Amino acid sequence: MKRVVITGLGAVTPIGNDVESYWNGLKEGKNGIDFITSFDTTDLRAKLAGQVKDFDPTFYMDKGEVRRSDRFVQFAIAAATQAVTDSNIENSIAPERFGVYFGSGIGGFDTFVAEHNAMLNRGVQRVSPHFIAKMIPNMSAGNIAIKTGAKGPCISISTACATGTSAIGEAYRAIKGGYADAIIAGGVDAAISPLAMAGFINCMALTESTDKDAASIPFDKRRSGFVMGEGAGAVIVEEYEHAVARGAKIYAEVCGYGSTCDAFHVTAPDAEAEASGRAIKDCLSEAGESFDPSKIYINAHGTSTPLNDKTETKAIKNAFGDDAYKVHISSTKSMTGHLLGAAGAIEAIAAIKALGENLIPPTIGYRESDEECDLDCTPNKAVETELEFAMSTSLGFGGHNACIGFKRIK
């Protein structure tokens, strides 16, 4: 089997529209959560979100492409373009060996709502001919392939909130198996809209806190639901020898992946955390090394919902046993909110950067400990410490669990 590495990164997030500003924001404990400004929230019980700010899609696309694309595609193109530029791979790979594994949990939500309203208010003839191509979730992957000329495998994965992690993990397997030399992998979502907010509110998923500093508070006993976020993350997953031959900068080696399903409930995690714990175990097992638990970092899914955080704590304990108390953990959703399908991708980037700099980004807003979430969640301030291994875990509606692992290249 082939070795697999990460050679490029790209991000559009609520705390920065490129990897440098995103990572600096995480290190500083920057809070990207604030009151929604893009629409009137008077009738909504949840009024906070992690919105992308000062984003100009014309930096990455021409105006015609912008008009013909939903916001989620614009974010995806931006993150993918950054990653390709960062990797300097575009002219160093055969198009048929260059792939795209990119997903969205929801797709073009704004477009769906706008065109439905156009039909109701103005008639069926006023539905845009671009409606379907703007809305369907695979168009993040499709448009990235068109933009970059990637003619290898092009797969759009949707595993709800595990989408970004699943995409990176499946790209890793594809390259490990020899099906491509490099793949643009990641996830995206842009669903901060009245309808999506109402749906998540009514299924009791979103916090109704109006204190932006105490809204997304993973592992804190006061947690009451997640904060909706938006954005995209992209990484270049590349075969090691291919990367070395072209003199690529290598951020980390992808060395493990776990993918399981609770097969339990459409929204609630299995309280026993058997399958989610097994995803972490599988990732560790595939890594094939015995890492010092005190030199492991987990970027946790950590959504700030009552059920997720205590279940994830149990999953980590199921995977590590008593060593779980030695592992460094944090949830960067405390700063970005929950980016749905993009969460796993931007959090994988955080894990990679943490490994590279020997620095654990904090879980901000943490004030009140919870006996059911009693692991080291790196409260409020970043911690410098030697790391050997970094992981990112994701748990999605439908019971999807995914875990991806990284180590330094040797």
Side-chain angles (χ1 to χ4, degrees):
M1 289 290 185
K2 298 179 183 293
R3 294 174 70 186
V4 183
V5 294
I6 301 294
T7 58
L9 307 174
V12 176
T13 79
I15 59 171
N17 295 337
D18 56 65
V19 171
E20 182 180 9
S21 57
Y22 165 59
W23 175 240
N24 286 338
L26 293 183
K27 292 192 293 185
E28 296 162 6
K30 181 179 179 180
N31 189 356
I33 294 164
D34 210 333
F35 288 95
I36 294 169
T37 57
S38 55
F39 55 85
D40 184 1
T41 62
T42 299
D43 294 331
L44 295 173
R45 298 195 303 274
K47 301 181 185 298
L48 298 173
Q51 299 167 105
V52 168
K53 306 162 190 73
D54 302 320
F55 174 75
D56 183 359
T58 61
F59 189 75
Y60 304 96
M61 311 164 70
D62 65 41
K63 291 181 179 179
E65 290 174 313
V66 172
R67 287 193 301 271
R68 295 189 298 271
S69 63
D70 187 270
R71 188 169 167 85
F72 91 105
V73 168
Q74 296 167 15
F75 288 164
I77 290 289
T81 300
Q82 291 175 28
V84 168
T85 300
D86 184 38
S87 71
N88 196 31
I89 193 173
E90 200 162 15
N91 297 315
S92 304
I93 187 168
E96 65 273 13
R97 300 291 296 171
F98 195 21
V100 180
Y101 277 44
F102 219 91
S104 172
I106 294 180
F109 205 90
D110 283 347
T111 293
F112 198 104
V113 171
E115 296 302 330
H116 179 255
N117 289 341
M119 183 183 72
L120 292 182
N121 297 327
R122 302 167 65 192
V124 295
Q125 299 303 319
R126 301 313 298 262
V127 173
S128 170
H130 301 298
F131 169 42
I132 300 300
K134 288 176 69 173
M135 175 271 296
I136 52 179
N138 71 299
M139 281 303 172
S140 57
N143 276 285
I144 289 168
I146 292 166
K147 196 76 172 174
T148 60
K151 295 183 177 181
C154 185
I155 306 293
S156 181
I157 290 172
S158 184
T159 51
C161 306
T163 294
T165 306
S166 298
I168 296 169
E170 296 302 325
Y172 157 67
R173 285 183 175 170
I175 293 174
K176 191 176 181 182
Y179 297 103
D181 291 330
I183 293 175
I184 305 166
V188 60
D189 262 318
I192 301 175
S193 72
L195 181 60
M197 295 286 291
F200 278 113
I201 290 166
N202 291 346
C203 76
M204 310 293 288
L206 294 187
T207 181
E208 296 178 19
S209 172
T210 55
D211 182 351
K212 63 183 182 180
D213 295 316
S216 185
I217 47 173
F219 305 113
D220 191 296
K221 196 165 189 173
R222 300 167 299 152
R223 67 190 185 278
S224 59
F226 75 80
V227 173
M228 182 89 81
E230 63 179 358
V235 299
I236 304 300
V237 188
E238 186 171 357
E239 195 271 324
Y240 171 70
E241 297 293 345
H242 187 275
V244 170
R246 68 181 187 85
K249 168 182 58 184
I250 295 176
Y251 285 98
E253 181 169 3
V254 190
C255 56
Y257 172 51
S259 177
T260 66
C261 187
D262 287 352
F264 173 72
H265 189 273
V266 292
T267 56
D270 181 359
E272 296 304 310
E274 183 278 325
S276 51
R278 183 159 43 85
I280 299 171
K281 280 185 180 178
D282 288 349
C283 180
L284 283 165
S285 177
E286 188 171 26
E289 295 184 36
S290 180
F291 298 103
D292 180 344
S294 68
K295 296 179 181 180
I296 294 175
Y297 167 54
I298 300 177
N299 188 297
H301 191 55
T303 59
S304 189
T305 62
L307 287 178
N308 176 89
D309 296 3
K310 70 177 183 180
T311 302
E312 190 171 11
T313 298
K314 188 164 187 178
I316 295 169
K317 291 177 179 178
N318 286 346
F320 284 93
D322 290 342
D323 284 341
Y325 290 94
K326 302 175 184 177
V327 174
H328 300 276
I329 298 161
S330 71
S331 173
T332 49
K333 287 185 180 70
S334 59
M335 292 172 269
T336 65
H338 189 354
L339 273 62
L340 307 179
I346 67 161
E347 289 158 14
I349 291 170
I352 291 164
K353 295 293 286 183
L355 179 67
E357 295 191 15
N358 286 310
L359 186 141
I360 313 298
T363 304
I364 70 167
Y366 186 87
R367 296 288 180 269
E368 189 173 339
S369 63
D370 183 344
E371 61 276 7
E372 293 186 295
C373 302
D374 59 347
L375 302 180
D376 177 10
C377 69
T378 318
N380 300 312
K381 290 186 179 181
V383 171
E384 294 184 17
T385 187
E386 184 181 353
L387 294 173
E388 297 176 338
F389 187 60
M391 312 171 78
S392 176
T393 58
S394 298
L395 289 68
F397 278 9
H400 300 286
N401 307 302
C403 180
I404 193 81
F406 308 95
K407 65 180 180 181
R408 286 190 181 83
I409 196 72
K410 294 179 181 178

